Amino acid sequence: MALSQIFHSEKRKYLAEALDNNSIAIIYSGRQIAMSADANYPFYTNNNFYYLTGISEPEVVLILMKNSQGLFSEKLFIEEADLEKEKWVGKKINRTQAKDISGINEIFYSKEMSKEIKCSKKPGVIYFDFMVPKHQSFKTEDDDLKCLLKNCVLKDLHPQFSKMRIIKTPEEVRMIKKANALTKKAFRTMASELKPGMFEYECAALFEYCVKNEGADGLAFETIAASGKNATTLHYVSNRSKTKSGELILFDLGARVQGYCGDISRTIPVNGEMTGTQEKAWNIVASVQKELINAYKPGADMKDLQELTKALFSDKCSKAGLLPKSGDISEFYYHGIGHPLGLDTHDLRPEGDLVLAPGMVMTVEPGLYINELRLGIRIEDDVVITSKGCEVL
Ligand code: GLY
Ligand code: MN
Ligand code: MN
């Protein structure tokens, strides 16, 4: 199950419509970063590139061109096969595969690129994505490119990507649903093995084994397996502690399927039973999440939903005798209620206030983090906004 050629073609067409006449857009998949003499860091494709092409290999370049009459063309540049290198790292994508995956007909080798961007065909505007990490942005030290850039107006593609990626197609929603289904299944297998004395990293390793075994690409993000007080650190990923009977353990987990992320949090007792206070706190988080899921609907502003979360926590904690001494709930709840989810776990979103609209996929993740009780509880699910409300994925 991969995204279709049509999906990528439509996204390129949509992007091209937003470009000025007499312009080119250059989008790069990224390059490998050396970790030591003979090893690289794991490669993560520039997700905007992947969104437009379906290709997740380094050193591939997409060029979209729009001529002065507004006619649009597209070209993809891949690396030529290197038989010596193949012996070490395996085969790279070839022209047929690149065409089949992306639906782009004009596939060239990288060495032919200078011909395509030479000065004589100078466009008025060149678009780059200014927000991607440096290793995923085009190498502007290239001589041909330097020449091309002279006297050209540079424009940023990032706002356009944010606008496009915030609304998911049904195909994308299916991918996220699948990523969550695998996350859920792997979590259940892992949780059934949990017992006091197990190390947090054992839980995380078992989860990773299970998602891969179920057919996921791998993890959407580093698994958080935070027992006891460790759970008050929101992105605790060292996972080195031994779990203890009587403590809770917070899991924040996600499988990745065809690039799309799942993002689920569950908090459970290590020995299978909660104490009275733990249960009281857990019930508060669960009931706040339920109310929030009802409030996620078209037109709802994420800023207001954050305020609603704080008000609900204040009220419920106060009634349960769990309010901090200062009375300020932000001592116990100190993150946002949710974020867009997609190819990135914290997916692209347009700047400013986010007002929910159909097709957005968002997390709903209230949490309480109470040092004195040595606990952190987060319950996180993902929803797609529908015409009337939302559907839990
Ligand atoms: N898994 C990271 C987050 O929920 O934000
Ligand atoms: Mn999340
Ligand atoms: Mn999460």
Side-chain angles (χ1 to χ4, degrees):
M1 174 171 94
L3 288 171
S4 64
Q5 236 189 42
I6 294 169
F7 173 90
H8 302 296
S9 300
E10 279 177 358
K11 296 301 173 193
R12 292 193 299 274
K13 260 191 225 125
Y14 187 94
L15 178 62
E17 267 161 34
L19 303 180
D20 291 348
N21 284 359
N22 191 27
S23 71
I24 72 171
I26 304 180
I27 304 124
Y28 186 44
S29 71
R31 79 194 72 136
Q32 300 252 212
I33 306 282
M35 186 170 77
S36 67
D38 63 349
N40 291 322
Y41 285 106
F43 175 71
Y44 294 101
T45 320
N46 168 1
N47 275 331
N48 292 330
F49 175 87
Y50 177 78
Y51 188 70
L52 297 179
T53 63
I55 292 170
S56 49
E57 284 205 17
E59 303 288 352
V60 186
V61 181
L62 170 67
I63 296 191
L64 303 178
M65 301 184 185
K66 208 165 168 184
N67 70 13
S68 43
Q69 281 84 49
L71 275 177
F72 157 63
S73 61
E74 45 189 26
K75 295 183 164 81
L76 194 72
F77 297 85
I78 62 171
E79 283 192 303
E80 209 167 352
D82 176 338
L83 298 182
E84 254 329 288
K85 220 166 151 190
E86 272 180 17
K87 290 181 190 161
W88 292 85
V89 296
K91 283 190 189 303
K92 302 217 41 145
I93 196 166
N94 63 36
R95 289 167 94 136
T96 315
Q97 290 166 327
K99 187 172 164 176
D100 286 348
I101 297 169
S102 66
I104 297 170
N105 289 318
E106 294 194 80
I107 314 277
F108 300 88
Y109 290 125
S110 314
K111 64 178 185 199
E112 298 168 284
M113 198 155 62
S114 53
K115 209 167 64 229
E116 295 301 320
I117 57 173
K118 65 177 186 270
C119 290
S120 59
K121 286 192 192 165
K122 218 168 172 74
V125 178
I126 306 185
Y127 290 90
F128 291 104
D129 185 345
F130 292 153
M131 290 298 281
V132 293
K134 201 155 180 260
H135 69 280
Q136 293 179 342
S137 65
F138 201 76
K139 292 181 229 167
T140 42
E141 63 272 25
D142 183 295
D143 279 346
D144 293 305
L145 192 64
K146 265 195 207 154
C147 172
L148 184 76
L149 291 176
K150 252 186 236 157
N151 306 322
C152 255
V153 177
L154 292 187
K155 289 195 179 175
D156 189 6
L157 284 174
H158 197 76
Q160 202 54 39
F161 282 126
S162 306
K163 198 171 128 197
M164 290 167 77
R165 280 180 50 190
I166 189 72
I167 303 294
K168 272 68 182 177
T169 64
E171 217 176 331
E172 291 180 285
V173 175
R174 273 201 301 278
M175 295 291 176
I176 299 170
K177 224 173 182 168
K178 173 89 181 169
N180 273 336
L182 299 191
T183 305
K184 173 177 163 178
K185 194 159 180 211
F187 165 71
R188 288 206 164 152
T189 307
M190 180 266 281
S192 72
E193 297 289 324
L194 175 65
K195 51 185 174 302
M198 202 163 158
F199 281 87
E200 294 163 340
Y201 60 77
E202 291 180 78
C203 303
L206 186 52
F207 174 75
E208 183 169 358
Y209 162 76
C210 291
V211 287
K212 285 188 177 161
N213 207 32
E214 289 295 332
D217 311 344
L219 300 179
F221 52 87
E222 272 193 279
T223 297
I224 297 169
S227 63
K229 211 175 162 185
N230 295 337
T232 60
T233 302
L234 298 179
H235 283 180
Y236 169 88
V237 288
S238 56
N239 300 340
R240 298 300 303 185
S241 299
K242 199 173 188 171
T243 63
K244 291 192 198 81
S245 183
E247 288 190 333
L248 299 181
I249 181 162
L250 184 159
F251 293 107
D252 189 340
L253 334 125
R256 188 184 285 273
V257 171
Q258 300 290 335
Y260 284 83
C261 300
D263 187 11
I264 294 178
S265 300
R266 288 293 183 268
T267 310
I268 57 176
V270 170
N271 66 10
E273 253 181 81
M274 292 195 204
T275 66
T277 313
Q278 287 168 348
E279 195 171 1
K280 227 180 344 181
W282 191 95
N283 281 332
I284 292 173
V285 180
S287 71
V288 168
Q289 198 212 28
K290 212 168 163 190
E291 294 197 41
L292 261 296
I293 288 174
N294 284 328
Y296 271 49
K297 51 172 73 110
D301 186 321
M302 286 307 286
K303 237 178 31 212
D304 298 336
L305 293 175
Q306 176 69 351
E307 289 312 309
L308 173 64
T309 311
K310 284 200 222 160
L312 288 170
F313 269 138
S314 276
D315 180 50
K316 288 172 196 277
C317 286
S318 158
K319 284 182 182 140
L322 283 176
L323 210 57
K325 283 189 197 80
S326 66
D328 180 4
I329 195 63
S330 44
E331 280 185 43
F332 289 171
Y333 168 63
Y334 37 85
H335 56 73
I337 183 59
H339 53 83
L341 179 72
L343 287 171
D344 285 292
T345 305
H346 286 216
D347 211 30
L348 292 198
R349 47 163 293 176
E351 268 187 52
D353 270 4
L354 186 63
V355 176
L356 298 180
M360 289 184 184
V361 173
M362 302 292 298
T363 68
V364 192
E365 50 180 306
L368 281 179
Y369 311 90
I370 310 177
N371 255 305
E372 304 91 87
L373 299 179
R374 298 182 56 79
L375 62 77
I377 299 169
R378 179 161 66 254
I379 305 177
E380 176 176 24
D381 286 289
D382 310 322
V383 300
V384 59
I385 308 301
T386 58
S387 58
K388 289 200 186 75
C390 71
E391 180 201 329
V392 178
L393 300 174

